[in-house]
Amino acid sequence: MIRRFTYGIPFDTEAVLNKPTAENCKLPYFEKQDNILSCSMDENDIVWGLGENVRGMNKRGHTYVSWCSDEFEHSEEKNSLYGAHNFFIIDGYRKLGVFIDCPGRVTFDIGDSEYEKILITIENKDYEIYLIENDSVISIIKEFRKLIGESYIPPKWAFGIGQSRWGYGSEQDLLKVQEGYRKNKLPLDMIYLDIDYMDNFKDFTVDSNKYRDFKTTISKLKEDDIRVIPIIDAGVKVEDGYDVYDEGMKNGYFCKDKDGKEFIVGVWPGKSVLPDFLNKDASKWFGDKYKVLTDMGIEGFWNDMNEPALFYSEKNKQKVFEHLAEYKDTNVGLYANFAMKDAVNFMANNIEDYKSFYHETEKGKICHADIHNLYGYKMTESASNSLKEILGKEKYLLFSRASYIGMHRSSGIWMGDNKSWWSHILLNLKMIPSLNMCGFIYTGADLGGFGSNTTEDLLLRWYALGIFLPLFRNHSCLGTREQEPYQFKALDKFRGILNLRYRLLPYLYESFIASVKNNDMYGSPLGLIWTEDEDARRCEDQLLIGDSIMIAPIYEQNATGRHVYLPEEMKLFRFKGSDVAEEKIMDRGHCYIHIALDEICIFLRKNKKLPLAKEAASVEDIDWNDLTYLE
Ligand code: GLC
């Protein structure tokens, strides 16, 4: 049962399309004092959800702040990442789903201040609350997913392998990647372009010094089944004569300050302006710009820096420099040193800046801070609306960094700037279910890690998880160790794992579509299936993928095996390379399994079959009719 409660006059986030009638009665289960909600939890309650966030599948014991943030350090103490996904489920004797539909800042203290209490603080005064009651967590998820509408489905080729790196600048770089994969007989479907392809970081431009003939390069790569996927950033360079800037200025399509002047921020190109995606005309205008690149043969994009990330605002930058000048001839001691550093560090993504610009919406002028969490969502929706028209439904690849529930209908998301840390393999795994609950099914992390230097074993182990997830992309930061699989000695091992991805695609793709169509989980915690089994409920490092297979990847360096929990009898298929090397019935219970660096273990549930395709060089090369079945 879904119940809706409305407070004030909420801005319609369009997270929910068909709203049930709002109730006037008092909110049940919670005590409400102004904008603070509290409810108690039993000692053994689990809290699932909250989408993209650090820490466990069970969110209990930490505070999460729903505020889309450009956060490049995904460590345990962090409270916000790029997405704002305000849906969680209390799973205990009572099963209750809660969705706070509010586009501003919301704080979820899930048993952090008090272990047996949930405290929710909503900063806006206008919002809606949805409560979903049912007898199982999975039924609550299905009801919620039905409420928010069907998730985005990318084209089939988007389930292939993607190679990315901040730094692939030129045509030569692209051809080098193509050669690296093809010569070494590694399958590949996508090469991503980061900001380097643009002319001075200007959206919808291509640097002609780096690409003599971009269109021809794109079409040549496509003949080899490789799609090129460029990045688009939210900020638009301030530059007279640059058509996007000129048109936006002429039509008043950029966000403005309180005096009605364009709000100038700093991003990659330096001084930039922010398209007002809350303004329907501006949004349509920006979305249609993607055609500049689709006309050159592009069929997919990744939208970035759309929290929006701000290095500084022009206004605040001036103040900071004035402040710093005061220290110039003084004795800078401890506190002054802190103050100086803070002044510089707090220039980026400063809350005062988010409070200083406005959107023109159908409901009038709205301060950005009140709808902050919708910015990336609306940018991506604008792209998706246009791409649907230009290329057709299910014909374009699109994923975004920032998101809010509702955006899941338009695109996927990637998990942002993680690091080449072993703990981030596990974080990648843990985020899958909480994102699936909120409708984000096409998702994945930067495999190998974005920041810091990867190692061969880390990449192999990360791939061993990544091959099961919908979005498979190896991406890394400028200046880090090159991490394409062909940079490493263990090429054969990589080849085996990547080939297995393509062999598994019929199962993975079918599971993906089923999870979208049935509002189901793609990657599920064991506790959602084996609901009465306490060991399954507490298991945070294994996933059920689709309804037939369980995975238990290794996420510790130098480990030669791991503990696995089997909630029922299953059959272990040990793959060496892309072939089965061992089959074994495993009893229900706890066990320890050795898994070498070139092995993948798949646990098949009883009475299920796992279809396998033949190896293929690209998704288009897969013969979907020529399948063998493991059972
Ligand atoms: C952001 C993105 C990252 C990208 C970089 C440069 O940090 O999250 O993926 O490589 O910007 O565009």
Side-chain angles (χ1 to χ4, degrees):
M1 185 182 52
I2 305 184
R3 301 169 72 181
R4 167 174 161 233
F5 302 84
T6 299
Y7 301 91
I9 308 171
F11 183 84
D12 189 3
T13 64
E14 293 170 359
V16 174
L17 295 180
N18 299 313
K19 299 184 178 189
T21 312
E23 296 187 24
N24 287 323
C25 64
K26 191 172 158 286
L27 186 74
Y29 303 116
F30 287 88
E31 290 206 9
K32 186 171 179 308
Q33 271 204 328
D34 298 324
N35 287 341
I36 302 180
L37 311 177
S38 66
C39 90
S40 59
M41 286 185 281
D42 288 338
E43 205 183 327
N44 289 322
D45 282 358
I46 290 177
V47 178
W48 308 101
L50 293 181
E52 188 179 33
N53 262 306
V54 297
R55 299 209 180 201
M57 291 184 190
N58 183 353
K59 287 284 172 260
R60 207 161 165 173
H62 191 52
T63 297
Y64 301 90
V65 178
S66 185
W67 183 259
C68 297
S69 302
D70 171 21
E71 176 55 74
F72 46 83
E73 188 91 16
H74 305 175
S75 50
E76 268 183 38
E77 81 277 17
K78 292 298 155 71
N79 309 103
S80 316
L81 295 180
Y82 315 88
H85 308 137
N86 306 348
F87 175 61
F88 67 88
I89 301 169
I90 305 169
D91 174 15
Y93 172 67
R94 166 193 56 182
K95 312 223 183 289
L96 179 69
V98 182
F99 175 44
I100 311 286
D101 191 8
C102 172
R105 183 187 292 260
V106 183
T107 302
F108 297 89
D109 174 341
I110 312 284
D112 184 356
S113 310
E114 247 184 87
Y115 193 67
E116 303 204 339
K117 229 181 193 158
I118 294 181
L119 277 174
I120 304 172
T121 310
I122 307 172
E123 289 195 12
N124 293 16
K125 59 184 197 329
D126 309 302
Y127 50 88
E128 301 206 280
I129 298 178
Y130 293 82
L131 296 182
I132 308 180
E133 285 172 84
N134 211 315
D135 49 14
S136 72
V137 172
I138 193 72
S139 312
I140 293 176
I141 292 170
K142 285 185 178 205
E143 279 197 71
F144 179 63
R145 293 263 305 277
K146 194 164 164 222
L147 185 74
I148 57 175
E150 192 175 293
S151 301
Y152 161 78
I153 300 180
K156 248 187 196 169
W157 50 260
F159 290 82
I161 305 291
Q163 181 61 55
S164 182
R165 180 170 174 82
W166 179 1
Y168 292 158
S170 61
E171 186 183 336
Q172 285 69 34
D173 288 341
L174 291 191
L175 299 181
K176 235 164 78 189
V177 176
Q178 177 192 24
E179 189 185 298
Y181 272 84
R182 293 303 186 220
K183 264 207 171 155
N184 290 303
K185 301 230 164 326
L186 300 166
L188 182 69
D189 271 275
M190 287 153 285
I191 305 177
Y192 288 80
L193 292 180
D194 208 314
I195 46 175
D196 325 81
Y197 79 94
M198 299 180 199
D199 169 17
N200 282 305
F201 309 127
K202 285 184 284 189
D203 280 334
F204 312 114
T205 66
V206 176
D207 187 337
S208 57
N209 294 318
K210 294 177 181 163
Y211 293 89
R212 274 168 301 136
D213 184 354
F214 190 69
K215 201 172 168 179
T216 307
T217 308
I218 303 305
S219 99
K220 280 211 175 127
L221 284 165
K222 193 168 168 191
E223 280 167 25
D224 193 15
D225 286 349
I226 297 171
R227 260 87 174 180
V228 176
I229 315 295
I231 195 169
I232 300 292
D233 282 308
V236 167
K237 187 175 198 294
V238 171
E239 184 182 287
D240 288 330
Y242 164 39
D243 58 348
V244 182
Y245 174 71
D246 288 347
E247 285 170 30
M249 286 298 282
K250 190 172 122 225
N251 295 306
Y253 286 161
F254 299 120
C255 295
K256 303 197 180 58
D257 64 16
K258 66 175 188 332
D259 303 321
K261 288 218 185 70
E262 277 71 18
F263 191 70
I264 310 286
V265 297
V267 216
W268 306 121
K271 279 190 195 175
S272 305
V273 277
L274 298 166
D276 184 357
F277 295 108
L278 276 293
N279 168 335
K280 291 257 179 321
D281 295 336
S283 154
K284 168 92 177 85
W285 161 76
F286 194 86
D288 286 347
K289 290 280 164 214
Y290 285 73
K291 191 162 184 305
V292 172
L293 290 158
T294 55
D295 280 350
M296 299 192 202
I298 297 296
E299 294 167 73
F301 298 89
W302 47 308
N303 279 348
D304 192 22
M305 304 293 273
N306 50 2
E307 293 70 33
L310 312 179
F311 297 166
Y312 57 84
S313 74
E314 204 45 33
K315 203 176 87 193
N316 194 21
K317 190 180 105 197
Q318 298 309 328
K319 274 204 241 153
V320 170
F321 279 104
E322 279 160 28
H323 180 66
L324 290 180
E326 289 168 20
Y327 295 98
K328 195 163 166 253
D329 301 314
T330 65
N331 176 21
V332 175
L334 174 65
Y335 298 112
N337 189 28
F338 282 168
M340 260 171 58
K341 283 189 183 156
D342 284 353
V344 175
N345 290 338
F346 293 155
M347 256 162 80
N349 308 318
N350 190 307
I351 182 69
E352 290 312 315
D353 286 331
Y354 290 125
K355 286 182 179 167
S356 308
F357 64 93
Y358 297 82
H359 298 270
E360 287 301 337
T361 76
E362 282 170 347
K363 295 268 147 60
K365 192 162 149 175
I366 295 188
C367 176
H368 174 80
D370 293 336
I371 56 86
H372 173 76
N373 289 337
L374 300 184
Y375 192 80
Y377 161 20
K378 293 296 160 185
M379 172 189 184
T380 303
E381 191 181 60
S382 96
S384 156
N385 288 341
S386 294
L387 291 170
K388 259 184 231 153
E389 274 177 31
I390 303 167
L391 297 171
K393 202 170 167 236
E394 295 179 29
K395 292 267 166 38
Y396 63 94
L397 168 60
L398 183 63
F399 56 88
S400 165
R401 196 170 74 173
S403 60
Y404 185 83
I405 292 173
M407 198 194 82
H408 69 286
R409 298 186 296 264
S410 304
S411 85
I413 58 174
W414 95 99
M415 297 168 185
D417 299 348
N418 60 8
K419 291 231 159 60
S420 300
W421 292 348
W422 288 84
S423 59
H424 279 184
I425 300 181
L426 186 57
L427 185 61
N428 182 179
L429 181 147
K430 287 182 182 194
M431 264 198 254
I432 293 291
S434 50
L435 285 169
N436 285 183
M437 287 175 198
C438 300
F440 294 97
I441 319 291
Y442 189 77
T443 180
D446 287 349
L447 300 173
F450 174 73
S452 60
N453 291 327
T454 204
T455 54
E456 182 178 89
D457 55 342
L458 175 72
L459 190 61
L460 281 165
R461 291 298 195 198
W462 211 325
Y463 272 14
L465 166 65
I467 56 162
F468 294 98
L469 306 179
L471 167 55
F472 186 108
R473 183 177 77 145
N474 172 330
H475 179 51
S476 54
C477 185
L478 192 70
T480 59
R481 178 181 186 174
E482 292 179 305
Q483 63 181 38
E484 299 83 3
Y486 51 81
Q487 306 287 358
F488 300 95
K489 280 253 162 61
L491 199 60
D492 287 348
K493 295 191 174 75
F494 282 108
R495 190 180 301 112
I497 296 181
L498 295 183
N499 280 335
L500 181 56
R501 161 75 169 191
Y502 286 73
R503 296 203 67 196
L504 288 167
L505 270 184
Y507 175 75
L508 301 178
Y509 185 72
E510 197 183 302
S511 301
F512 180 90
I513 297 295
S515 74
V516 170
K517 298 290 175 194
N518 307 329
N519 295 315
D520 216 334
M521 299 290 281
Y522 172 87
S524 175
L526 308 190
L528 265 53
I529 315 290
W530 291 275
T531 53
E532 302 302 316
D533 176 339
E534 202 47 28
D535 288 354
R537 274 166 60 75
R538 302 286 158 185
C539 177
E540 295 235 358
D541 60 357
Q542 300 174 205
L543 283 179
L544 202 78
I545 300 288
D547 66 357
S548 307
I549 63 173
M550 184 181 82
I551 59 165
I554 286 188
Y555 50 87
E556 271 169 23
Q557 188 156 32
N558 302 319
T560 54
R562 59 160 286 172
H563 161 258
V564 178
Y565 179 61
L566 288 116
E568 65 184 24
E569 183 190 296
M570 292 184 188
K571 191 164 183 186
L572 162 70
F573 288 93
R574 178 186 300 277
F575 285 83
K576 209 164 187 69
S578 75
D579 293 319
V580 178
E582 185 195 1
E583 295 181 25
K584 190 171 155 194
I585 306 277
M586 306 282 298
D587 290 338
R588 171 172 185 263
H590 294 268
C591 62
Y592 188 89
I593 300 211
H594 289 278
I595 311 172
L597 274 175
D598 59 346
E599 292 177 343
I600 305 277
C601 286
I602 296 180
F603 302 85
L604 183 65
R605 292 182 74 185
K606 242 181 158 174
N607 303 322
K608 301 280 185 193
K609 287 183 184 170
L610 177 63
L612 286 178
K614 296 253 151 40
E615 288 179 4
S618 67
V619 172
E620 252 155 55
D621 190 33
I622 295 177
D623 184 347
W624 298 77
N625 296 315
D626 184 10
L627 307 178
T628 49
Y629 290 85
L630 301 182
E631 52 189 304

